[in-house]
Every structure is written in structure tokens, then in C-alpha cells.
Amino acid sequence: MSVPPLRTARLRLEPLDPARHAVALHELYAAPEFAAHLASGAPATAGDKADDLRVFEGLPPGLGGWVAHLADGSDDPGRVVGRFSLRPWKHAGPTDPPEVGWFLAVDQWGRGLAAEGMRAVLRYAAWQLHVPSVLALVRHDNDRSRALARRLGGVVTGQGSWYGSEPSLRYDLALPVVREGGPADRDAVMDLWARAARRPDGRPAPELGEAAADGKLAHGIRRLAHLGGTLVGSAIGQQAVQGIGVGDAAPVPGLLHVSTVATDPAREGWGIGTALLADVLDRGRAQGFDRAQLWVLEDNPRARGIYERFGFTVTPEHTRVDEAGDRVLRYERRL
């Protein structure tokens, strides 16, 4: 298959192999509660299911299906509990995006696993394939899947009997699109920072003022993520200077100063901040920087965990206290 394996906290998504996975998926599809939402009912045999799954063969590069296994550490690790897909819609017109789909074992309903798996697929579509949108087709009477489509940001854009005689609703889901920012983005970046930057106890982080925003957007690596017309993520990399990294002091050769890593709280879980940070670091390396630094509140374990997974480590001798009296740590890594 042409799709990579994906992982979430509770699932392992393996590229789908029709011959190897037909038996496990046939058992999943045979549950009456599950089959009720299938256009043609449950396949009669595992062989029939293998035939159905051959629609995933020969797809364009990057598209395909995944079989979902419970991850290590679960009550039943390795068990097949679902299928996810990203493939061309068979009724697509010239401008229609790929279609996503999800199926989950009946005894796993209500645990949030379908949303967890779909977010992994959408992150893959957005950050690796750079797909700006996808569509999902959900039967009109499938309340659970309709609710999930809405939660993922889907908007109903049509209705038709595309699969079987029962009508389905078409949901279109916009995905984040990344571009280079500039001075004209000042107000949008300031608004995003006001929404996203919070201390762990709920207090707002230091304000990003107009002068500071102008300085960040005037030059350097300015990666911004949009969802529709809304700015939902930012990450900026600039030549570091002596001191805390910004200002008019002398530059520090080879050091990239990373700042304004922010994600719209309503879009957490999409991997926006992670993707933008990786983008800034890759571009910094390409521009000749050999090290990167950033600052983060000591009492922000979530952000610190993300940076540490990127290979950043604390430089204790540079710890400082901000204007609110909170300790701020300097992190650095090689590029």
C-alpha cells in the first residue's frame, strides 16, 4: 500500500492489505448494528470482503486505507477494531477532494477512538499530502457518524444516494493550509496569540504587542496555518541575538531563535503546532543555522514535552524569571 503506518495514543493504524485483513474486517462488519449502516449489508464471506477491499489497490500515491489495531498497553493489544481510509471519491468531479471514511467495532463505540483515528488521518492528509480539504459521506440515519463529522469540522454541502438507495449527507472538511507570513498578518497573529497563549493556571501569557509582532513578522521564517479564513497556528524563526534572543543586540552566529509557537485552542489535536515547528526547524537548517533555541514556562509540561520530543534540552544556566514572577526555561537543540 502507498500509505504509511500511523499511531495515536490508543491505536496503531497499519496499511490495509485486502488478503491479509479480510477475515478480521469481515468479522467486524458482520455485527448487525454495524451492518445496518452499510449500503449493501455485511459481506457474506471473508472472500467477499477481500473482493470489496480491492478498491484500495492501485490508488494514487499517498492514498489508501488503514486497519486499526488497539495499541500496546490496552486490554487487548493488537486486536483489529476498525478501518480508516483516504481515497478518491468514485463519484468525484474535477474539483472534488479525496473521501475519508471510518468504521469501528461495535464494542468500541463511545470511546472516542473513531475521532482519534480520524484526526491521525487528517493530520497525515494536511501535513504530508498538503491536501486542503476532504469529504465524508455519511448515511442520513447514522447519528454517531454525523456527530463525528461535525466534530471534525465538517459542513454539510450536499445529499444523494451515492452508496445504495439510502440517502447520504456529504460533509466537506477544510484542512489547515500553511503559508509564509508577513507584516500584513500582524493583527491576525496578535489575535491568535491572545486566544492561544495561556499559562497552565489559566492566566494569560505576556501580551504580544504591536511593536513585538511587527518585529517578528518583518523578516525570518514566518510560518502561518489557516483553516478557511481563520489563522489557527503560527511559528516563527529568526536570527538569534545575544541575551534572550530578540532585540538590537549582536547576533549569535548559527543560532535560530524560535518563538510565537501557537495553536488555536479550538484546533488542538490536529498537530498544527508540531507541524509548524518542524517546518521552521527544517527551513532554519536549510538556511545554514546549526542550532535552535526557544523559551518556555517551567510550569508548562505539555509544551515542554513537545519540545523535548523534538530533541530540545534545557540549558539551566539561562533560566530567568518573567514579569509575572514565573520561571522561564531556555531550550536548545542541534539542527
Side-chain angles (χ1 to χ4, degrees):
M1 301 301 292
S2 61
V3 296
L6 304 174
R7 288 185 176 273
T8 73
R10 296 180 293 170
L11 294 173
R12 176 171 56 85
L13 274 58
E14 176 188 8
L16 189 154
D17 182 318
R20 191 155 57 87
H21 295 129
V23 172
L25 289 177
H26 175 255
E27 294 174 357
L28 183 154
Y29 279 59
E33 303 95 325
F34 190 100
H37 296 299
L38 299 175
S40 56
T45 67
D48 293 333
K49 188 60 200 169
D51 290 339
D52 291 347
L53 293 174
R54 290 200 171 92
V55 299
F56 291 102
E57 296 178 339
L59 295 181
L63 303 184
W66 294 265
V67 169
H69 303 261
L70 292 179
D72 294 343
S74 69
D75 293 337
D76 194 3
R79 176 190 162 198
V80 172
V81 293
R83 173 180 70 75
F84 297 88
S85 61
L86 174 68
R87 58 175 175 151
W89 181 30
K90 71 177 184 178
H91 300 288
T95 61
D96 284 314
E99 177 189 356
V100 294
W102 58 87
F103 298 100
L104 199 67
V106 173
D107 67 337
Q108 301 297 315
W109 290 0
R111 299 183 57 207
L113 290 177
E116 189 173 311
M118 275 308 305
R119 287 196 178 98
V121 171
L122 295 178
R123 287 195 295 268
Y124 164 72
W127 306 125
Q128 296 190 43
L129 300 184
H130 307 292
V131 174
S133 67
V134 296
L135 66 86
L137 301 175
V138 182
R139 267 182 49 150
H140 70 102
D141 55 355
N142 190 341
D143 293 338
R144 286 180 178 272
S145 284
R146 289 181 62 184
L148 175 55
R150 291 192 299 269
R151 195 166 27 165
L152 294 172
V155 176
V156 175
T157 58
Q159 179 172 317
S161 298
W162 295 293
Y163 295 111
S165 59
E166 290 290 335
S168 295
L169 300 176
R170 170 174 168 163
Y171 289 84
D172 277 80
L173 292 74
L175 300 182
V177 176
V178 179
R179 66 171 177 83
E180 186 70 7
D185 297 300
R186 183 192 68 185
D187 291 346
V189 169
M190 290 173 59
D191 179 67
L192 171 65
W193 185 258
R195 285 181 280 130
R198 289 286 184 274
R199 300 175 191 271
D201 62 6
R203 290 177 297 144
E207 181 184 44
L208 177 62
E210 291 185 359
D214 284 337
K216 292 175 183 293
L217 292 166
H219 59 85
I221 304 166
R222 301 150 294 178
R223 306 304 286 165
L224 305 180
H226 285 263
L227 194 58
T230 302
L231 183 66
V232 294
S234 67
I236 293 174
Q238 296 175 306
Q239 169 66 61
V241 302
Q242 293 179 7
I244 64 172
V246 295
D248 299 324
V252 180
L255 183 62
L256 179 72
H257 179 69
V258 179
S259 69
T260 328
V261 181
T263 300
D264 187 331
R267 299 297 174 181
E268 290 183 353
W270 284 71
I272 294 172
T274 298
L276 292 175
L277 176 58
D279 193 4
V280 166
L281 297 178
D282 287 345
R283 289 169 183 269
R285 185 184 304 110
Q287 292 182 16
F289 292 97
D290 57 24
R291 307 178 325 281
Q293 71 167 18
L294 53 80
W295 296 85
V296 62
L297 288 168
E298 182 179 51
D299 191 21
N300 190 346
R302 184 172 183 274
R304 292 179 62 184
I306 292 172
Y307 300 140
E308 287 165 9
R309 287 196 293 275
F310 269 87
F312 282 93
T313 57
V314 176
T315 58
E317 65 274 18
H318 296 104
T319 299
R320 62 187 176 87
V321 177
D322 70 8
E323 60 268 32
D326 294 320
R327 285 166 56 87
V328 186
L329 305 180
R330 178 183 180 274
Y331 275 77
E332 183 174 326
R333 60 158 281 180
R334 301 291 299 180
L335 293 179

